[in-house]
Amino acid sequence: MEQLVANAKTAGAALQELGVFSKTEKPFFLTEAQIGKVRGDIFETVCRALLWNCCAAQNTARRASPIAVLSLGDNYDLRKLFTPESGQKLDAYTAALAKKDISLSYSTPDLIVLDLARLPQKARLHFKEPISDLSLASQDRMDSSRKIVEGSVTPGDVILACGLKTSIRSDRMFQFLFEANAWKFIWRRVFSLPACPYYSITSQTFGADPGRLRSIDFSGLGGADTATRAIDSVTEISSPADVQQWFATSLRAALGARATRS
């Protein structure tokens, strides 16, 4: 990530010397906001590729049900992902709230991990092939993969959800909490299922207190003795090995919880 930023600055300076920007009012520069945006995009892309390959490795080993990591994207409509029956449940709940002038507002997680056992064979084969590079073609492949499973997924096929941010600042960290609470609320109240686990990954905290992300799951039932966290874990990573370790640990925990419930 840092090399990418250094390359961009070097390239800009070289183009400036060649006169490429001679007609502009100011010399070439990159703002901190521009750098932060690109750093965040690259962080997410690298993590997605690593997690995709973790799934592909498991699918090739055939030791368990095939799985896939899927990117949903901002403002993704969950009804497109789910089967018509599940989509209708979401529609019905949303319509009932609308009659009371209430909306079901939520943001979709950056990633979800799916159990492909009952999905079409083409989906299982598609997610068996690893990502070998971060070319535009590979990025398009990851972005478009949800189209292969859209309309075939049931809420029970979702193993876990994950939010990704390059950094957590005090004024931004609560997006994770809102997203986690909304996600679990949908599973409990709309689909009448146990809450789908939600995890968070970041690479920096910038002075924010990650402990505040241990906040309660507001849609949970019972009193303090049975309360659970909205975000199942917040993990700070600094290397690809950290991502792989997080995935192995979180997947094992999520699958273990599923086995206990069944």
Side-chain angles (χ1 to χ4, degrees):
M1 290 163 55
E2 297 307 323
Q3 185 64 52
L4 179 78
V5 174
N7 289 350
K9 291 180 176 179
T10 301
L15 292 172
Q16 181 74 53
E17 291 182 2
L18 293 173
V20 174
F21 307 124
S22 58
K23 295 182 180 180
T24 62
E25 296 180 359
K26 296 181 179 180
F28 170 82
F29 68 97
L30 294 174
T31 67
E32 287 303 313
Q34 290 170 329
I35 293 173
K37 176 65 169 65
V38 174
R39 184 185 282 116
D41 290 345
I42 295 300
F43 173 75
E44 182 177 335
T45 299
V46 172
C47 286
R48 288 163 55 199
L50 287 166
L51 295 172
W52 178 297
N53 287 349
C54 287
C55 292
Q58 175 165 314
N59 295 345
T60 301
R62 296 183 179 179
R63 291 192 296 266
S65 296
I67 57 175
V69 62
L70 201 68
S71 301
L72 296 182
D74 295 336
N75 301 315
Y76 179 73
D77 186 352
L78 282 177
R79 293 173 299 179
K80 295 169 60 178
L81 178 68
F82 292 132
T83 60
E85 180 183 3
S86 297
Q88 288 168 7
K89 289 183 179 180
L90 191 55
D91 282 338
Y93 194 91
T94 302
L97 291 180
K99 292 179 180 179
K100 300 180 179 180
D101 195 26
I102 302 173
S103 65
L104 180 60
S105 298
Y106 59 88
S107 60
T108 47
D110 295 297
L111 302 171
I112 61 173
V113 176
L114 294 178
D115 183 345
L116 302 177
R118 50 162 300 282
L119 270 66
Q121 184 180 17
K122 66 177 182 178
R124 298 195 296 272
L125 293 176
H126 178 79
F127 291 102
K128 190 176 180 180
E129 295 297 323
I131 299 293
S132 59
D133 54 53
L134 294 179
S135 64
L136 290 178
S138 294
Q139 293 180 50
D140 288 341
R141 181 182 169 200
M142 289 188 287
D143 290 338
S144 62
S145 288
R146 62 174 176 261
K147 296 179 181 178
I148 295 178
V149 300
E150 281 182 339
S152 302
V153 177
T154 69
D157 295 326
V158 183
I159 299 174
L160 61 86
C162 177
L164 293 173
K165 281 190 182 300
T166 312
S167 61
I168 297 179
R169 293 179 173 86
S170 297
D171 59 340
R172 296 172 55 198
M173 63 193 307
F174 289 99
Q175 180 185 342
F176 274 153
L177 277 174
F178 173 79
E179 190 169 271
N181 272 289
W183 189 254
K184 293 187 173 184
F185 178 91
I186 290 173
W187 255 252
R188 286 198 179 101
R189 301 293 188 260
V190 178
F191 300 130
S192 301
L193 292 172
C196 175
Y198 181 98
Y199 301 91
S200 296
I201 293 178
T202 185
S203 64
Q204 301 175 74
T205 56
F206 282 114
D209 179 10
R212 301 182 71 177
L213 295 179
R214 293 197 294 267
S215 180
I216 191 172
D217 172 5
F218 292 123
S219 67
L221 301 176
D225 57 333
T226 58
T228 57
R229 290 167 51 172
I231 302 174
D232 291 82
S233 72
V234 180
T235 303
E236 189 171 342
I237 62 172
S238 60
S239 70
D242 290 342
V243 178
Q244 293 173 303
Q245 182 59 51
W246 169 84
F247 181 74
T249 301
S250 300
L251 180 64
R252 185 164 52 248
L255 290 175
R258 279 161 63 97
T260 300
R261 291 194 299 265
S262 61

